[in-house]
Amino acid sequence: EKSMASASVHFRPHRGTEQNMGVFAEWQPRYAEHGVATFPVNDNKKPLVTRYDRIGVTASGQLAFDMRFEECMNLAFMAGKRNRLSVVDVDTADEAVWREAERVFGPTPLWVRTGRGHLQMWYRHNGEKRDTESRFLGCVDILGSGQVLGFPSRRGQGYEAIRGGLADIDRLPAMRGLDRLTQAKAEK
């Protein structure tokens, strides 16, 4: 069984009901279909594996078969070049700010509501860096690298795609407006 699991990211032997399968085990193959390597995390966003920042799609698939993570209810990925994803993290539930963030950074087909009712806007990675200090618009971080919780993680009230889904990963636009915002920050 182990050799078969290693041979194919998409093969999953029957181990009981789907109700017993955690988010990570169920959703890892779905992310892998779009070239995104995921890893299991606990409810405090702590990775449950070492070297998670080096995991590729194949290793991620092997983790999905590891019995230790079978019931893990959260998954994460690394933003950046490897997974081709960057995220605008809007730390407010104010939908007016969400619309302003989209106006500033550009439209994207994939929005995720976080476990705290905030917003992630997903974009194709285009060399963005991680910026959690500038706080654009007072509450916006740019996650061009580092760990990002993915949907449908169950942390908090649960992460949910509220616009689009995984199929949109292959057509995400690049983020725009960063040069203008960085320049405005420097002028302050």
Side-chain angles (χ1 to χ4, degrees):
E1 179 180 314
K2 186 168 178 90
S3 63
M4 290 182 75
S6 298
S8 174
V9 172
H10 304 290
F11 171 77
R12 176 167 296 286
H14 179 71
R15 286 198 256 169
T17 66
E18 289 287 319
Q19 293 176 342
N20 293 335
M21 187 182 297
V23 167
F24 175 70
E26 181 180 350
W27 282 78
Q28 181 282 330
R30 297 176 191 190
Y31 275 82
E33 287 177 13
H34 300 283
V36 178
T38 57
F39 51 91
V41 295
N42 68 19
D43 284 338
N44 293 320
K45 298 184 182 181
K46 182 179 180 193
L48 298 175
V49 295
T50 58
R51 300 177 57 142
Y52 58 91
D53 58 334
R54 297 174 186 239
I55 290 174
V57 172
T58 301
S60 176
Q62 292 168 347
L63 291 173
F65 287 95
D66 190 318
M67 297 293 283
R68 294 174 298 166
F69 311 125
E70 185 174 48
E71 295 181 13
C72 179
M73 298 308 288
N74 301 295
L75 62 80
F77 61 88
M78 295 300 292
K81 185 177 180 179
R82 178 180 299 228
N83 287 317
R84 303 172 336 276
L85 294 171
S86 290
V87 174
V88 170
D89 188 24
V90 186
D91 290 332
T92 182
D94 184 342
E95 293 185 18
V97 176
W98 297 2
R99 288 188 297 276
E100 179 62 10
E102 186 173 47
R103 188 191 69 71
V104 170
F105 297 104
T108 180
L110 185 50
W111 284 19
V112 175
R113 181 176 297 135
T114 71
R116 296 178 65 194
H118 298 164
L119 179 69
Q120 295 174 345
M121 297 166 51
W122 293 22
Y123 293 89
R124 177 178 44 83
H125 182 70
N126 192 31
E128 297 85 6
K129 306 289 184 216
R130 187 175 190 91
D131 186 349
T132 58
E133 295 178 12
S134 297
R135 303 297 287 178
F136 300 113
L137 302 174
C139 62
V140 176
D141 295 327
I142 306 301
L143 308 180
S145 65
Q147 175 182 312
V148 177
L149 255 64
F151 69 92
S153 289
R154 297 291 182 244
R155 183 177 193 275
Q157 298 171 12
Y159 283 55
E160 173 188 13
I162 59 172
R163 178 195 290 176
L166 289 179
D168 294 304
I169 286 177
D170 302 322
R171 63 183 191 96
L172 291 174
M175 195 182 303
R176 66 177 191 213
L178 282 180
D179 292 341
R180 185 170 34 95
L181 290 171
T182 304
Q183 183 179 6
K185 177 187 150 196
E187 292 172 356
K188 286 184 177 184

